[in-house]
Amino acid sequence: PTAERTLVLVKPDGVRRGLSGEVLRRIEAKGYRLAAVQLVHATPELLTQHYAEHAGKPFFGSLVEFMLSGPTLAVVAEGVRVIEGFRSLAGATDPTTAAPGTIRGDLGRAWDGAVMQNIVHGSDSPESAAREIGLWFPGL
Ligand code: DAT
Ligand code: MG
C-alpha cells in the first residue's frame, strides 16, 4: 500500500481557540506524517475555489466570511489511507452531534448557528486532496 496525502485545515475558530497544536498532536499520534504546515490568511479567491462544490448554497456567504475571520493553519498530512483516516479523526460535520473521541466531537459545539464552526477541514477524496493541496500549497 502506498502512502497518500490529504489537506487538513485548522480553521480560524480552531486557531483562535489555540487548538492548532491539539489537532497536529492527534494527526501525529495516529501515526501520520506532517509533510507541510503553514499559517495562511485566506483570500476570497482561494476560498471560492476551495469551496467550489458549495457555491450557491445558502450558507456559502457566511462560510467564506467565517473563513476570512482570521488565519488558517494549512497542513498536508501523509500516510496510508490518510484521507479516510483524517475524516474519521475529524468526526461528523455538525460539531454538536459529532461523536465524542473525534476532534469536532471533543472540541467543537454550536456557537452562533450561522455557519458550522467545526475546527477542521479534511479532503474527502484523492481528487479533492490533489486539488486542495494545489490551492493551499502551490508548488508543493
Ligand atoms: P465537511 O467539512 O464535513 O466535509 P461539507 O463539505 O459538507 O462538510 O461542508 C463544508 C463546510 O461548510 C462545513 O465544514 C461547515 C459548513 N456547512 C456545511 N453544511 C452546512 C449547513 N447546512 N449550514 C451551515 N454550514 C454548513
Ligand atoms: Mg467537505
Side-chain angles (χ1 to χ4, degrees):
T2 54
E4 60 184 21
R5 288 180 165 194
T6 194
L7 181 79
V8 172
L9 300 177
V10 183
K11 299 183 185 184
D13 60 325
V15 173
R16 201 177 288 127
R17 291 178 57 208
L19 298 173
S20 301
E22 172 66 13
V23 172
L24 296 177
R25 189 195 67 73
R26 288 178 184 226
I27 292 169
E28 291 190 305
K30 183 80 170 176
Y32 300 128
R33 195 178 78 85
L34 301 177
V37 176
Q38 183 170 259
L39 200 65
V40 180
H41 204 124
T43 62
E45 293 70 32
L46 173 61
L47 294 166
T48 299
Q49 293 185 66
H50 177 78
Y51 281 125
E53 66 172 305
H54 299 299
K57 293 186 185 172
F59 60 84
F60 184 75
S62 45
L63 174 60
V64 170
E65 188 182 357
F66 159 60
M67 292 294 291
L68 289 171
S69 69
T72 289
L73 192 75
V75 179
V76 177
E78 187 175 76
V80 174
R81 297 181 66 191
V82 68
I83 296 171
E84 281 175 280
F86 182 77
R87 296 277 295 184
S88 176
L89 287 182
T93 304
D94 182 348
T96 296
T97 53
T102 65
I103 293 167
R104 289 162 168 174
D106 285 349
L107 307 173
R109 70 167 175 86
W111 295 93
D112 71 357
V115 69
M116 290 180 194
Q117 302 192 11
N118 56 11
I119 306 166
V120 288
H121 166 85
S123 307
D124 63 8
S125 69
E127 296 70 32
S128 302
R131 191 178 70 80
E132 294 170 1
I133 290 169
L135 289 172
W136 290 85
F137 289 95
L140 189 71

